[in-house]
């Protein structure tokens, strides 16, 4: 299939999952994950009407997205990969949403940079629902206190939670845990679900799904 066909297929599957879950049409945002793809490979998705994209690395994104965003000013760019504090300034300058706030040092760096640049990015806290030592994210039990710190002390706009379940486990319980934590933290958005499990994520309340290979093909 061509990219536009794959994109339309994903959109149709999201719509079907919304209906099956009793969700309203259009309640789930598609974040097209364009990491490792060059601008010329991304343009067909933009031409097909996709406006929300996700990238893993700040430096890679700087090489392609400033020009694309200049051409299409309604594009919304999400950082969905780990952020180093020395890249906070660049991330605030380029991205609209950062989904991977995962420790106090990053939260403080982002707060400082947003004040300096006069910007107000929308932020998600990444939760390590599987407590995997090799994976970034706040432990579930620590998430409410961390969200409170970000909001109350640092003045950050935390609008949601994000997770990446362990690859070898059933993702359902992890999505259920994230939804429960969101209620406890008083946040409305849930970024969960990728190419292999976004239908399940929608059933558990995802408000956005991050889909890459099902749209752009294998990397």
């Amino acid at each position: 299939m061509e990219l536009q066909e794959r994109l339309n297929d994903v959109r149709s599957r999201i719509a079907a999952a919304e209906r099956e879950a009793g969700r309203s049409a259009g309640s789930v945002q598609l974040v097209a994950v364009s990491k490792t793809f060059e601008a010329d490979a991304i343009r067909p998705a933009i031409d097909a009407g996709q406006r929300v994209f996700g990238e893993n690395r700040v430096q890679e994104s700087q090489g392609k997205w400033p020009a694309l965003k200049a051409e299409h000013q309604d594009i919304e760019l999400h950082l969905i990969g780990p952020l180093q504090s020395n890249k906070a300034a660049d991330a605030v300058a380029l991205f609209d949403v950062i989904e991977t706030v995962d420790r106090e040092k990053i939260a403080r760096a982002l707060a400082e940079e947003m004040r300096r640049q006069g910007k107000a990015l929308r932020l998600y806290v990444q939760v390590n629902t599987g407590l995997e030592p090799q994976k970034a994210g706040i432990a579930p039990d620590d998430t409410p206190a961390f969200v409170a710190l970000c909001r109350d002390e640092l003045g950050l706009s935390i609008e949601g939670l994000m997770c990446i379940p362990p690859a070898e486990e059933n993702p359902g319980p992890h999505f259920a845990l994230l939804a429960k934590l969101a209620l406890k933290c008083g946040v409305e958005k849930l970024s969960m679900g990728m190419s292999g499990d976004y239908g399940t994520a929608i059933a558990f309340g995802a408000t956005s799904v991050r889909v890459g290979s099902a749209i752009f093909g294998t990397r």
Side-chain angles (χ1 to χ4, degrees):
M1 285 194 291
E2 295 294 320
L3 184 147
Q4 188 160 352
E5 291 178 274
R6 293 193 297 268
L7 179 58
N8 286 337
D9 181 63
V10 170
R11 288 169 171 164
S12 295
R13 290 174 184 271
I14 288 172
E18 287 173 337
R19 289 193 298 272
E20 192 171 328
R23 309 269 304 271
S24 58
S27 59
V28 179
Q29 182 184 64
L30 170 60
V31 180
V33 179
S34 49
K35 64 178 184 179
T36 76
F37 287 95
E38 299 297 327
D40 286 347
I42 298 169
R43 280 196 174 90
I46 297 173
D47 292 343
Q50 181 63 27
R51 288 296 182 270
V52 184
F53 292 87
E55 288 282 343
N56 264 38
R57 298 179 185 277
V58 175
Q59 194 164 349
E60 179 195 338
S61 303
Q62 287 175 307
K64 55 189 176 183
W65 279 106
L68 290 171
K69 291 186 81 176
E71 293 169 18
H72 304 275
Q73 297 189 5
D74 56 344
I75 280 175
E76 181 177 290
L77 191 59
H78 291 225
L79 180 63
I80 60 172
L83 176 61
Q84 304 301 319
S85 55
N86 64 352
K87 295 288 185 184
D90 292 335
V92 169
L94 180 58
F95 289 88
D96 303 292
V97 180
I98 294 177
E99 298 198 12
T100 50
V101 181
D102 64 351
R103 57 198 186 280
E104 185 175 340
K105 184 178 180 181
I106 286 296
R108 290 189 180 279
L110 289 172
E112 182 178 335
E113 276 304 324
M114 284 191 280
R115 279 194 296 271
R116 194 176 69 82
Q117 296 185 35
K119 297 184 74 175
L121 275 67
R122 292 150 45 212
L123 305 175
Y124 287 61
V125 167
Q126 182 172 352
V127 182
N128 188 347
T129 57
L131 295 173
E132 297 173 275
Q134 81 282 8
K135 192 174 284 182
I138 297 286
D141 286 349
D142 297 335
T143 299
F146 181 69
V147 170
L149 168 81
C150 290
R151 283 173 162 169
D152 301 340
E153 184 177 333
L154 303 179
L156 295 173
S157 174
I158 304 296
E159 73 170 27
L161 304 179
M162 179 269 241
C163 75
I164 306 171
E168 69 283 356
E169 293 186 20
N170 174 5
H174 295 273
F175 297 153
L177 173 59
L178 199 71
K180 184 178 178 182
L181 284 170
L183 283 173
K184 190 176 288 188
C185 295
V187 300
E188 295 183 354
K189 304 289 188 180
L190 289 169
S191 173
M192 56 190 196
M194 298 186 288
S195 286
D197 58 17
Y198 63 87
T200 303
I202 291 169
F204 281 95
T207 57
S208 62
V209 294
R210 309 179 304 274
V211 181
S213 58
I215 296 170
F216 291 100
T218 54
R219 293 177 169 82

